[in-house]
Amino acid sequence: MNFGPLPSVEAAAVPADGLVLDVREDDEWAAGHVEGALHVPMSDFVARFGEVTEAVADGRTAYVMCRVGGRSAQVTQYLMGQGIDAVNVTGGMQAWDGAGRPMVADNGNPAFVL
Protein backbone atom coordinates (compact mmCIF):
# COMPACT_ATOMS: atom_id res chain seq x y z
CA MET A 1 0.00 0.00 0.00
CA ASN A 2 1.46 3.35 -1.01
CA PHE A 3 0.58 6.33 1.15
CA GLY A 4 2.38 8.87 -0.99
CA PRO A 5 4.40 11.57 0.71
CA LEU A 6 3.27 11.70 4.31
CA PRO A 7 4.65 14.30 6.67
CA SER A 8 7.00 12.48 9.00
CA VAL A 9 9.46 13.26 11.76
CA GLU A 10 12.23 11.29 13.45
CA ALA A 11 11.42 10.20 17.01
CA ALA A 12 14.31 12.27 18.35
CA ALA A 13 12.76 15.42 16.83
CA VAL A 14 9.29 15.17 18.40
CA PRO A 15 8.92 18.20 20.68
CA ALA A 16 8.94 17.38 24.40
CA ASP A 17 5.55 19.08 24.72
CA GLY A 18 4.19 17.58 21.48
CA LEU A 19 0.90 15.69 21.42
CA VAL A 20 1.89 12.06 20.86
CA LEU A 21 -0.99 9.92 19.59
CA ASP A 22 -0.21 6.25 20.24
CA VAL A 23 -2.31 3.92 18.07
CA ARG A 24 -0.89 0.61 19.35
CA GLU A 25 -3.02 -2.00 21.10
CA ASP A 26 -3.53 -2.14 24.87
CA ASP A 27 -0.83 -4.75 25.59
CA GLU A 28 1.76 -2.76 23.62
CA TRP A 29 0.76 0.44 25.47
CA ALA A 30 0.96 -1.24 28.90
CA ALA A 31 4.52 -2.48 28.24
CA GLY A 32 5.87 0.99 27.48
CA HIS A 33 4.66 4.32 26.14
CA VAL A 34 5.40 8.02 26.03
CA GLU A 35 4.27 9.68 29.24
CA GLY A 36 1.33 11.97 28.58
CA ALA A 37 0.55 10.42 25.18
CA LEU A 38 -3.03 10.00 24.02
CA HIS A 39 -3.74 6.28 23.59
CA VAL A 40 -6.35 5.45 20.96
CA PRO A 41 -5.73 1.97 19.53
CA MET A 42 -6.09 1.76 15.76
CA SER A 43 -8.75 -0.94 16.24
CA ASP A 44 -10.90 1.58 18.20
CA PHE A 45 -9.90 4.63 16.19
CA VAL A 46 -13.12 5.47 14.36
CA ALA A 47 -15.25 4.90 17.48
CA ARG A 48 -12.96 7.10 19.61
CA PHE A 49 -12.19 9.74 16.96
CA GLY A 50 -13.83 12.44 19.11
CA GLU A 51 -11.04 12.09 21.70
CA VAL A 52 -8.52 12.90 18.98
CA THR A 53 -10.44 15.91 17.66
CA GLU A 54 -10.71 17.27 21.23
CA ALA A 55 -6.96 16.87 21.75
CA VAL A 56 -6.14 18.82 18.58
CA ALA A 57 -8.96 21.38 18.88
CA ASP A 58 -6.46 24.15 19.66
CA GLY A 59 -4.61 23.48 16.39
CA ARG A 60 -2.00 21.17 17.91
CA THR A 61 -0.12 18.79 15.67
CA ALA A 62 -0.70 15.09 16.36
CA TYR A 63 2.55 13.10 16.33
CA VAL A 64 1.19 9.66 15.44
CA MET A 65 3.11 6.63 16.66
CA CYS A 66 2.85 2.84 16.61
CA ARG A 67 5.54 0.18 16.98
CA VAL A 68 7.46 0.74 13.73
CA GLY A 69 5.42 3.18 11.63
CA GLY A 70 2.95 1.20 9.50
CA ARG A 71 -0.25 1.64 11.49
CA SER A 72 0.64 5.22 12.35
CA ALA A 73 1.13 6.00 8.64
CA GLN A 74 -2.42 4.81 7.95
CA VAL A 75 -3.82 6.86 10.84
CA THR A 76 -1.77 9.93 9.80
CA GLN A 77 -3.23 9.68 6.30
CA TYR A 78 -6.75 9.38 7.75
CA LEU A 79 -6.26 12.38 10.05
CA MET A 80 -4.92 14.52 7.21
CA GLY A 81 -8.02 13.58 5.22
CA GLN A 82 -10.09 14.95 8.10
CA GLY A 83 -8.18 18.24 7.99
CA ILE A 84 -6.11 17.51 11.11
CA ASP A 85 -2.43 18.45 11.26
CA ALA A 86 -0.79 15.04 11.71
CA VAL A 87 2.77 13.78 11.37
CA ASN A 88 3.92 10.16 11.29
CA VAL A 89 6.75 9.35 13.73
CA THR A 90 9.29 7.45 11.63
CA GLY A 91 10.26 4.14 13.20
CA GLY A 92 7.60 4.42 15.91
CA MET A 93 8.24 3.35 19.47
CA GLN A 94 11.28 1.31 18.43
CA ALA A 95 12.93 4.49 17.16
CA TRP A 96 11.72 6.43 20.23
CA ASP A 97 13.37 3.86 22.50
CA GLY A 98 16.47 3.77 20.30
CA ALA A 99 16.79 7.55 20.57
CA GLY A 100 16.79 7.26 24.35
CA ARG A 101 13.51 9.17 24.72
CA PRO A 102 11.73 8.55 28.05
CA MET A 103 9.05 5.89 28.38
CA VAL A 104 6.80 4.67 31.19
CA ALA A 105 4.94 1.39 31.76
CA ASP A 106 1.51 0.89 33.32
CA ASN A 107 2.68 -1.59 35.96
CA GLY A 108 5.65 0.33 37.35
CA ASN A 109 8.13 -2.10 35.79
CA PRO A 110 10.83 -0.84 33.40
CA ALA A 111 9.23 0.23 30.14
CA PHE A 112 9.96 -1.64 26.93
CA VAL A 113 8.62 -1.80 23.39
CA LEU A 114 6.43 -4.85 22.84
Side-chain angles (χ1 to χ4, degrees), residues 5-8 19-21 23 38 40 45-46 48-64 72-88:
L6 272 182
S8 62
L19 170 64
V20 174
L21 173 59
V23 299
L38 174 60
V40 181
F45 202 79
V46 174
R48 295 179 55 192
F49 184 65
E51 294 174 47
V52 178
T53 57
E54 281 181 33
V56 298
D58 59 359
R60 293 178 79 187
T61 298
Y63 293 92
V64 188
S72 57
Q74 293 176 57
V75 171
T76 298
Q77 184 179 47
Y78 176 79
L79 291 173
M80 289 173 58
Q82 306 302 312
I84 293 173
D85 188 14
V87 178
N88 189 37

Side-chain angles (χ1 to χ4, degrees), residues 1-112:
M1 194 175 288
N2 183 358
F3 296 108
L6 272 182
S8 62
V9 65
E10 297 294 326
V14 175
D17 62 350
L19 170 64
V20 174
L21 173 59
D22 190 324
V23 299
R24 297 173 303 146
E25 296 304 314
D26 291 338
D27 57 339
E28 295 172 289
W29 168 267
H33 57 269
V34 177
E35 190 168 12
L38 174 60
H39 179 223
V40 181
M42 187 172 168
S43 58
D44 296 341
F45 202 79
V46 174
R48 295 179 55 192
F49 184 65
E51 294 174 47
V52 178
T53 57
E54 281 181 33
V56 298
D58 59 359
R60 293 178 79 187
T61 298
Y63 293 92
V64 188
M65 188 167 349
C66 64
R67 186 170 168 288
V68 294
R71 288 172 285 178
S72 57
Q74 293 176 57
V75 171
T76 298
Q77 184 179 47
Y78 176 79
L79 291 173
M80 289 173 58
Q82 306 302 312
I84 293 173
D85 188 14
V87 178
N88 189 37
V89 178
T90 306
M93 282 300 296
Q94 287 186 334
W96 184 274
D97 188 29
R101 302 290 302 261
M103 298 188 308
V104 295
D106 280 355
N107 57 14
N109 289 335
F112 67 96

